[in-house]
Amino acid sequence: MSGFISGIRASGNGLLVRISIIAAIGGLLFGFDTGVISGALLYIKKDLKAGDTAQEWIVSVLLLGAILGALISGYLADKISRKWTKVISGCVYVVGALGCAFAINVPMLIGFRFVLGLAVGTASFVAPLYISEVSPPRIRGGLVSFNQLAVTTGILLSYIVNFLFKDVPGDWRWMLGVALIPGAALAIGMLTVPHTPRWLMSEGREKEARDVLKRLRGSDPEADIDGEIDAIKKADEEEKSTKVKDLLKANIRPLLWVGLGLAIFQQFVGVNTVIYYAPTILSDTGLTKSSSITQTVFVGITNVVFTIVAVMLLDRIGRRKLLLIGTVGLTVALIILGIYFTSPTLQHNASYLALGALLLYIAAFAVGLGPVFWLMISEIFPTGVRSKAMSVSSMANWAANFLVAGTFLSLGHLITRQGTFFLYGAIGVLAILFFAFKVPETKGKSLEDIQRQLTSADAGGKSKG
Ligand code: BGC
């Protein structure tokens, strides 16, 4: 984090700071809108008479929209620019938020949650893309993790909004409606920022690209405008000559497996059942609706605090160690939750144990899998296939998210609540094994070294460092 801030200072002008704040609204959007439903659901289910299946759809249709949003925006970002794609996503966000707030029945709410999902999927993919294309290489890593910090801040904000509106007439409508504020801020804010130099170059607008780069680098003594323009040209040529099917080439495939493995495990350990259903889980422990929502705020704070810890430690301790420690921690928490829901005695006498386990779970996720997935997919792929591979990995992440969120309540009925947590715990064990054997350390290494190491036969064995 300190490197990130000093790097921005070193760039010597306010433009990068403004751009970072605006890009962080993209992360906020992602977090806010995925988090806000947790509290709102408790009121919606009564008000709109939504059963389990309807509730699952209200939560998870947003994710279907996000899968599509990530796909379309990959195309739009090239076609009409990153900047205009983000402006549009801000506008779509406003429409979605208003539509949800004024929904008169479940189908209308589901429809507008899908619209919101389009904007969320777009923001999740184009925000890091935009940031990485405007930032100087030496602070790019900090900026990537900063985006995850914005995601967690967005989730926390959504919990606070839920808390503030829980006793206000119109409760859930306000909770969903205030989301138009970050949406509008994103659309308006993006109108004031430049196109990325990379996109301008791909359109053959070299002079404008140079001008933007000069403004972005300000008085940075390390700036090398000609060098950056040359590097962009080279990467652009490489990327233009790669097709999606190149991702399956023998030298890229192992990298794709790591990206997909991280994407899928990040969701299959059940993180978003905690993010989306924390108040539901807590109210199942016997707490009132109101205190469940209050306690959920602690989950949000813990997520932000431990993401800050991760941002500070990732470049010191390394990604691999944090990933492993974090995943062990969250697996232990899942087992505790499983035991808690198995034992009626614990449920009657120790509801704090459920909250404690939820907090342990989210802290462990926040120091490991949370930031490390997004960071690693920006590190492990060679330039020529990076954007395509990142897009495939992000879509896999949203698809896995959809599967887990869409089945949590039904799984509870099928194999009991405790069975569900034990199942996620077992997936946690598999994740630990996959990370231990397949995921390399990327801290302090050049992208070329990482790639060479990953494409060698026994990547996991040689990766400790
Ligand atoms: C994940 C989201 C999750 C969030 C929680 C992100 O890294 O991709 O699905 O809701 O972390 O902090």
Side-chain angles (χ1 to χ4, degrees):
M1 177 80 107
S2 56
F4 167 75
I5 290 170
S6 60
I8 280 184
R9 279 211 193 103
S11 75
N13 69 30
L15 187 60
L16 255 184
V17 179
R18 212 177 75 219
I19 284 177
S20 304
I21 292 170
I22 292 167
I25 301 174
L28 269 188
L29 270 166
F30 169 175
F32 184 89
D33 207 53
T34 53
V36 74
I37 200 65
S38 64
L41 206 56
L42 295 180
Y43 299 88
I44 292 169
K45 81 177 167 197
K46 210 172 118 234
D47 216 12
L48 297 185
K49 300 183 184 44
D52 277 358
T53 312
Q55 285 177 57
E56 282 176 359
W57 274 105
I58 292 167
V59 172
S60 57
V61 76
L62 177 131
L63 307 170
L64 276 187
I67 299 172
L68 194 67
L71 182 75
I72 300 171
S73 61
Y75 169 80
L76 279 184
D78 282 343
K79 219 43 206 166
I80 63 166
S81 81
R82 286 65 166 129
K83 172 177 160 152
W84 286 108
T85 307
K86 288 195 67 154
V87 173
I88 293 175
S89 88
C91 297
V92 175
Y93 204 83
V94 170
V95 172
L98 284 174
C100 286
F102 290 105
I104 50 171
N105 53 30
V106 169
M108 182 171 167
L109 184 58
I110 291 177
F112 278 102
R113 287 273 299 165
F114 180 79
V115 172
L116 270 184
L118 294 174
V120 170
T122 302
S124 77
F125 182 75
V126 187
L129 184 65
Y130 184 91
I131 299 174
S132 68
E133 290 187 353
V134 294
S135 57
R138 73 178 183 287
I139 54 167
R140 199 176 294 145
L143 283 165
V144 172
S145 304
F146 182 71
N147 197 55
Q148 171 72 8
L149 188 56
V151 173
T152 57
T153 307
I155 294 172
L156 176 60
L157 267 181
S158 75
Y159 289 167
I160 293 173
V161 163
N162 285 348
F163 175 75
L164 292 177
F165 288 104
K166 71 186 163 63
D167 296 321
V168 171
D171 38 58
W172 65 269
R173 297 185 185 278
W174 285 106
M175 295 171 187
L176 299 184
V178 294
L180 74 88
I181 298 171
L186 179 67
I188 296 167
M190 283 308 295
L191 289 174
T192 67
V193 305
H195 286 298
T196 70
R198 176 85 185 264
W199 183 79
L200 287 168
M201 288 291 287
S202 72
E203 293 288 295
R205 293 156 64 174
E206 183 169 338
K207 190 183 164 310
E208 282 169 78
R210 272 181 195 279
D211 289 348
V212 172
L213 257 185
K214 272 186 209 140
R215 283 172 59 207
L216 286 171
R217 301 297 174 255
S219 54
D220 187 348
E222 285 179 34
D224 169 14
I225 308 288
D226 288 335
E228 281 200 56
I229 290 283
D230 284 348
I232 294 174
K233 263 188 200 155
K234 216 172 138 232
D236 201 40
E237 275 158 24
E238 270 180 52
E239 200 154 315
K240 276 192 174 133
S241 61
T242 33
K243 311 257 171 316
V244 179
K245 64 178 183 339
D246 290 344
L247 292 179
L248 296 177
K249 277 190 178 156
N251 61 334
I252 307 291
R253 223 180 307 137
L255 316 180
L256 195 62
W257 281 125
V258 173
L260 290 178
L262 282 163
I264 291 168
F265 278 125
Q266 197 209 38
Q267 297 300 326
F268 275 18
V269 294
V271 60
N272 286 311
T273 60
V274 173
I275 301 289
Y276 306 161
Y277 292 105
T280 307
I281 298 171
L282 286 167
S283 70
D284 281 1
T285 69
L287 291 178
T288 62
K289 230 171 20 179
S290 173
S291 50
S292 305
I293 290 192
T294 312
Q295 296 206 1
T296 299
V297 174
F298 291 116
V299 175
I301 293 174
T302 308
N303 198 7
V304 173
V305 169
F306 281 86
T307 304
I308 296 173
V309 171
V311 167
M312 290 188 304
L313 294 184
L314 276 166
D315 288 316
R316 262 188 259 158
I317 295 187
R319 286 78 160 128
R320 226 178 101 83
K321 271 198 199 115
L322 282 176
L323 184 65
L324 286 169
I325 293 170
T327 313
V328 169
L330 69 83
T331 304
V332 169
L334 285 167
I335 293 167
I336 296 175
L337 279 169
I339 294 171
Y340 175 87
F341 281 104
T342 312
S343 154
T345 324
L346 283 177
Q347 284 173 64
H348 283 126
N349 304 313
S351 77
Y352 60 86
L353 193 66
L355 179 66
L358 284 182
L359 293 182
L360 170 64
Y361 177 92
I362 206 67
F365 179 85
V367 293
L369 253 177
V372 171
F373 160 62
W374 297 104
L375 181 55
M376 279 219 169
I377 61 167
S378 77
E379 292 181 322
I380 59 173
F381 299 111
T383 325
V385 292
R386 190 168 303 147
S387 65
K388 292 182 186 81
M390 277 186 76
S391 148
V392 170
S393 307
S394 318
M395 280 169 52
N397 186 263
W398 284 113
N401 192 338
F402 171 74
L403 254 177
V404 175
T407 52
F408 177 63
L409 294 180
S410 310
L411 260 184
H413 293 309
L414 206 67
I415 58 170
T416 70
R417 179 60 46 91
Q418 56 271 31
T420 310
F421 286 122
F422 284 133
L423 177 68
Y424 295 153
I427 295 172
V429 173
L430 290 179
I432 294 166
L433 294 174
F434 178 81
F435 300 155
F437 290 107
K438 291 287 171 205
V439 175
E441 181 53 81
T442 53
K443 179 192 81 157
K445 289 186 180 149
S446 75
L447 296 177
E448 290 70 28
D449 280 349
I450 296 167
Q451 195 194 335
R452 207 170 309 124
Q453 185 182 4
L454 267 167
T455 44
S456 72
D458 54 345
K462 290 186 198 165
S463 60
K464 299 164 195 89

